[in-house]
Amino acid sequence: MNVIYADNNATTRVAPEVVEAIRPFLTTEYFNPSSMYEPARRTADALAQSRAEVARHFGLADPSEIIFTGCATESTNAAIFGVVRANPNRRHVITTAVEHPAVLGVCKELEREGCDVTFLGVDRDGNLDVGEFIRVLRPDTLLVTIMHANNETGVIFPIEQLARLTKETDPSIIFHTDATQSVGKMPIDLRGELQNVDMLSFSGHKLHAPKGVGALYVKRGTRCRPFLIGGHQEEGRRAGTENVPYIVGLAKALQLAAEGFLDENTRVLGLRDRLEKAIGERIPHIEINGRGAPRLPNTLNVSCHCVEGESLLTQMDAYGICASSGSACTSGSLEPSHVLRAMNIPDAAVQGSVRFSFSRYNTDADVDRIIEAFPKMVANVRRISPYWDQEKNAPRLG
Ligand code: PLP
């Protein structure tokens, strides 16, 4: 049975072109880029070229503003803890209630360490209230850390506007964005529209590079203490021998993404919209989460009332469809999604939430198979639900 992989916000297949770019650095060009002989200088050159390529992708002129890390989680930790440690006189941090745990968990840790953290809520579509954002900025605000696109719903926050408003209020407030889900899916210009962003985090494996490499953009002049301390790599800002093969792969993946932004996004959006429409027509009593907000073109988050998400995922798994549940049951906890809860999606619907996320490797045939199978699976699960009879006969509110 062919697997239909529709979980690209979790991770992506490594692009064949990326595998080819990496190969020499796993075989013949294995040298430590810090070593002082000729073959190592070639490795160091590849590292420098990759850094320049990554910087160029974001419209940056200065490659040293890019620090390579092991993953987005390392980047967000380095950014947030690094800023707080470098600026002990200010203790207020602003974030949102719908961040990935890589930011949310760090902010909760900051609270335990004595910082005052404001967690902004969202409306039913997943949008932030910009007026509220302005109101919570304070004279002692040190850092704003707000994600670019949400991993569960694909909802895109107005980072350009939020970063601009931050700097207009107080240019010394540092603005970080977790762009793990937007990098590679949309163009990002850190000297153009996102020029007020000081720090940006992302991971390679969300954009067809391997797992185990990420990056952090730090605008020149941003006050931030190093997170990993040791050797002099990355100009002393992130110690540890650089993962040259995967860094080369990351640069290649970004290059491929930039070449394909327009065509691929249009095609992927077509797949997502076709699935969304078919699900809407064939399955009653559902919510399409984030539909009223700007969204990534690849993400569809659907909540089916009176359905247990886990049973649905088990059926999909048996049929070869890989997708994610809105609850965290796959990671061993049955906690409903904090993102959907923050959006005020009723609990009965949050439990039956599924996220489909596509990439350039998905086809029309994948969507056809999901359209054929998914409504039947929902109907099967509902047949055994004690609540379904009640709900299907009840009038629906808005
Ligand atoms: N931030 C967001 C928005 C994510 O979606 C993810 C991964 O799902 C992360 C951070 C963490 O990425 P990684 O596991 O590569 O560190």
Side-chain angles (χ1 to χ4, degrees), residues 9 71-73 100 102 147 151 178 180-181 203 205-206:
N9 286 7
C71 58
T73 303
H100 185 276
M147 71 199 315
N151 44 302
D178 172 5
T180 307
Q181 291 295 343
S203 238
H205 70 106
K206 309 287 186 183

Side-chain angles (χ1 to χ4, degrees), residues 129-161:
D129 178 342
V130 176
E132 187 191 356
F133 173 73
I134 296 169
R135 284 192 295 280
V136 299
L137 288 165
R138 303 192 323 213
D140 66 333
T141 303
L142 165 63
L143 171 71
V144 175
T145 174
I146 294 186
M147 71 199 315
H148 196 187
N150 190 276
N151 44 302
E152 292 191 28
T153 58
V155 170
I156 299 168
F157 283 152
I159 292 302
E160 184 270 327
Q161 186 187 15

Side-chain angles (χ1 to χ4, degrees), residues 217-235:
Y217 158 68
V218 183
K219 187 184 277 172
R220 187 155 290 284
T222 306
R223 300 176 313 279
C224 181
R225 298 288 308 149
F227 186 59
L228 284 188
I229 296 177
H232 58 272
Q233 295 90 351
E234 304 292 297
E235 296 182 8

Side-chain angles (χ1 to χ4, degrees), residues 167-236:
K167 295 295 174 178
E168 281 169 8
T169 305
D170 178 352
S172 68
I173 299 175
I174 296 169
F175 195 102
H176 167 252
T177 186
D178 172 5
T180 307
Q181 291 295 343
S182 56
V183 171
K185 296 189 183 110
M186 53 199 275
I188 293 179
D189 187 350
L190 288 168
R191 285 213 304 171
E193 62 162 2
L194 294 193
Q195 60 185 283
N196 290 310
V197 168
D198 301 300
M199 304 177 102
L200 176 144
S201 296
F202 67 100
S203 238
H205 70 106
K206 309 287 186 183
L207 57 124
H208 306 289
K211 294 156 200 60
V213 64
L216 173 63
Y217 158 68
V218 183
K219 187 184 277 172
R220 187 155 290 284
T222 306
R223 300 176 313 279
C224 181
R225 298 288 308 149
F227 186 59
L228 284 188
I229 296 177
H232 58 272
Q233 295 90 351
E234 304 292 297
E235 296 182 8

